[in-house]
Structure formats: C-alpha cells, structure tokens
Amino acid sequence: METAPIRVLIVDDQALLREGFQRLLELEATTVSVVGTATDGQAALDMLDRLGSEHRLPEVILMDIRMPRLDGVAATARIRQRYPEIRVIMLTTFDDEEYILAGLHAGASGYLLKDMTVTQLIAAIQSARRGESPLQPAIAAKLVRHVQQSSVAESLHPHAQDDETSAFSEELTDREREVLRLVARGASNREIGETLFITEGTVKNHVSSILSKLNLRDRTQAAIYAQGHDLA
C-alpha cells in the first residue's frame, strides 16, 4: 500500500528561501506535499487555523528562527501547545547553543542548518513524522558538549542552582523580565535594544544583572530558565 505524501508547511521570512524550499520539495511530490508557506510565526498560526478547518493540517513544519512579529521559538511553543501532533523542525542558518536549546525547549523535534542537501532534508522530514528527532552531527555535538558542561557544574554544585533561581527570580525588575523574554526568543542585544528603545549598552547591563540575580552562567542558561518558567 502506498504511503500518502507528508504534509509540510514552510515558515521563513525570506521569500527567496521560502520559495526555493517549496520548489525543491515539490520535486519530491510522491514523498512530500507542501500545504502552504508563511512569512513569520504569526502568519503560520493563522494559516494553521485555516488548514485545520479544511482538514489539511501539516504533519511537519519547517520553521525559521529569526523572523518579524513572532519568531520561530515563540511560534513553535504556541503551535506545540495548540497542535501537539504537529512536528516542528527548526531550519536556520544559526548554530549558536542558545538558539538550539531555545528551539528544542520550545518543543521542536529537530534542528537543522540550511546548508543541508535536499536528500538530507527529506530524510529529516520523514524522521520527524516517525517521532524521531533529526539533528545534524554538528548540532548534536554542540548539545553533547552542553550536557557535559552542565553535568560537571551540577556535580560541583548539586541542587544549588534550583534553590537559588527560585529565590532570586522574584527580584527581577519588569524591564529585566522583558529583556529575559527576548533573550529566550533568540534576540541579540542590538535587537533587544531596538525593540525596547534602549541602548545596546543598557541591554548588556540588564543581561549581566539577570545572570547575577538568577545565578546563571550565560545567555543559554537564561533562555532555558525563561522557557522553564513561562517567561518566554
């Protein structure tokens, strides 16, 4: 018995990339069926409402990270909450740990870089539909290093961070919470400054204060903390 093509939604704010992925995937019509494209996370949510009413929800979403209005991390969290059966693959040019972890903590099934081949992309889509977590070797290596570093820190200071973060989180100012929320969404200091109408230097000061108050090591831990405490 033939298997129906996997329904895929493409979300990317760059028209050239969005249309390019669509055309490449449409060449694999027996394997993949592109049910739509969206220019950002909010557009994706709107499209899902429409596709749901037509009983054509995608099985897999290819999601960019940095987009206007609603970025990929925030959109993924909302999609996974509203449509838990849909698998989301972060497909981006950014391989920074904080982006990877923020995407995975938001509920993404996999994380891939845009320099992959069409064959690799199709394999990843198939893997995601099977319930697996497609990760390129370079991404997997970064996650392994992060886990190893976290394990070492935990062995040196067991339970210290959980107790201290819960105590210190109440000390964050409203502005610091705004900054932390944007850090969790993968925004740079410059982008945070532009969003909140403050200087990049002020953003750096807020980030330093947040890390100190929450007893966190870096922005990656801050993003994870925010995701885990509904601040993203």
Side-chain angles (χ1 to χ4, degrees), residues 111-178:
Y111 194 106
L112 305 172
L113 300 179
K114 291 179 179 177
D115 61 357
M116 69 186 323
T117 66
V118 177
T119 300
Q120 291 172 322
L121 180 57
I122 294 296
I125 291 171
Q126 293 172 320
S127 173
R129 186 173 72 166
R130 290 194 299 267
E132 300 169 358
S133 299
L135 295 171
Q136 286 175 286
I139 300 300
K142 284 180 177 288
L143 288 176
V144 169
R145 285 196 297 271
H146 176 79
V147 170
Q148 290 172 336
Q149 292 168 355
S150 298
S151 297
V152 170
E154 176 65 17
S155 66
L156 293 174
H157 304 286
H159 310 302
Q161 184 169 306
D162 289 342
D163 295 339
E164 292 178 5
T165 51
S166 60
F168 294 155
S169 60
E170 299 300 324
E171 297 182 8
L172 294 182
T173 65
D174 290 341
R175 176 63 83 185
E176 287 169 346
R177 288 177 180 273
E178 291 177 328

Side-chain angles (χ1 to χ4, degrees), residues 13-38:
D13 65 324
Q14 296 186 46
L16 184 61
L17 291 175
R18 189 172 62 250
E19 294 168 6
F21 281 124
Q22 180 177 9
R23 289 173 183 170
L24 288 173
L25 291 178
E26 286 175 345
L27 295 175
E28 305 287 338
T30 59
T31 305
V32 173
S33 172
V34 178
V35 296
T37 65

